[in-house]
Amino acid sequence: DFGTPIERIFLISLGSVRLESRSAFRTNVVYSFKKRGDFLGVFSYLSDSAAHIARAVAIENVKVLSYEKKAFFELVDEIPVLEREVRRQISNSFLELQSDRSLSRESVSRRLASVLLALLGERGENSSRSIPLPLSRADLARRIGAEPETVVRIMKEWEREGVLLSRDRIIEIRNPGVLNEISRGYGSMANCRED
């Protein structure tokens, strides 16, 4: 939970979670989604006195492996591939925060397209175009700082245009090229009216 000392490192072995932090207005803001293979608490690798900056909330059935922090980082020191993975995940988290900051003043369409492309990109180039996180439109709205109604309206339009298909909380990207154009401000939905 928010502000508690990091005493254990967790590895998600099944399912996915959303990470929520508190905004200046004391509301919970989704700032990231974590899935199988992701670590929680690895920021303590950078500082012994680190505290959790977010609360992890399961968005489906989740199983985690739990490691005492000292024992985990002893393993990291002994296993180079594990150290590289921890550093990669920390770097990706910083890049995600930097990207969020740069998009904060962009349209809802651009922010939504960027987040969907980032989630798709995490799956690798040879994977399917389905994003297997059980994302609700409300989760996506909280992730990009928008009203759920606006996200619903945009996604319905994208479904009509054949850009994506959303079913059973699984999002299938049908045309990532269009989403890429939208994320850069060139797509057909980039300048739509957003309430």
Side-chain angles (χ1 to χ4, degrees), residues 179-193:
L179 275 187
N180 190 40
E181 288 181 10
I182 293 169
S183 73
R184 294 188 293 152
Y186 305 123
S188 62
M189 291 293 296
N191 298 316
C192 72
R193 184 175 166 278

Side-chain angles (χ1 to χ4, degrees), residues 85-153:
E85 180 60 18
V86 166
R87 289 180 184 273
R88 186 192 68 77
Q89 288 191 25
I90 291 171
S91 295
N92 285 349
S93 293
F94 281 122
L95 288 172
E96 187 176 10
L97 291 172
Q98 182 180 2
S99 175
D100 284 355
R101 241 186 132 91
S102 67
L103 286 171
S104 65
R105 296 188 185 267
E106 299 298 336
S107 72
V108 175
S109 295
R110 284 185 73 180
R111 295 194 315 258
L112 181 58
S114 294
V115 165
L116 290 175
L117 286 170
L119 290 169
L120 183 63
E122 290 175 2
R123 304 216 353 99
E125 287 194 30
N126 297 325
S127 63
S128 74
R129 291 180 176 170
S130 293
I131 300 172
L133 290 175
L135 299 173
S136 70
R137 287 175 170 92
D139 285 337
L140 282 170
R142 288 176 56 208
R143 171 68 181 87
I144 64 171
E147 293 298 321
E149 298 80 12
T150 303
V151 169
V152 167
R153 184 174 46 77

Side-chain angles (χ1 to χ4, degrees), residues 16 18 33 58-61 116 119 130-140 142 155 159 165-172:
S16 53
R18 68 176 180 255
F33 298 105
I59 53 178
E60 62 181 328
N61 288 333
L116 290 175
L119 290 169
S130 293
I131 300 172
L133 290 175
L135 299 173
S136 70
R137 287 175 170 92
D139 285 337
L140 282 170
R142 288 176 56 208
M155 288 183 71
E159 285 191 46
L165 179 63
S166 177
R167 64 188 184 289
D168 298 326
R169 301 181 91 190
I170 301 294
I171 299 167
E172 181 182 343

Side-chain angles (χ1 to χ4, degrees), residues 56-69:
V57 178
I59 53 178
E60 62 181 328
N61 288 333
V62 173
K63 288 189 179 184
V64 297
L65 302 176
S66 174
Y67 301 91
E68 190 273 325
K69 184 171 77 172

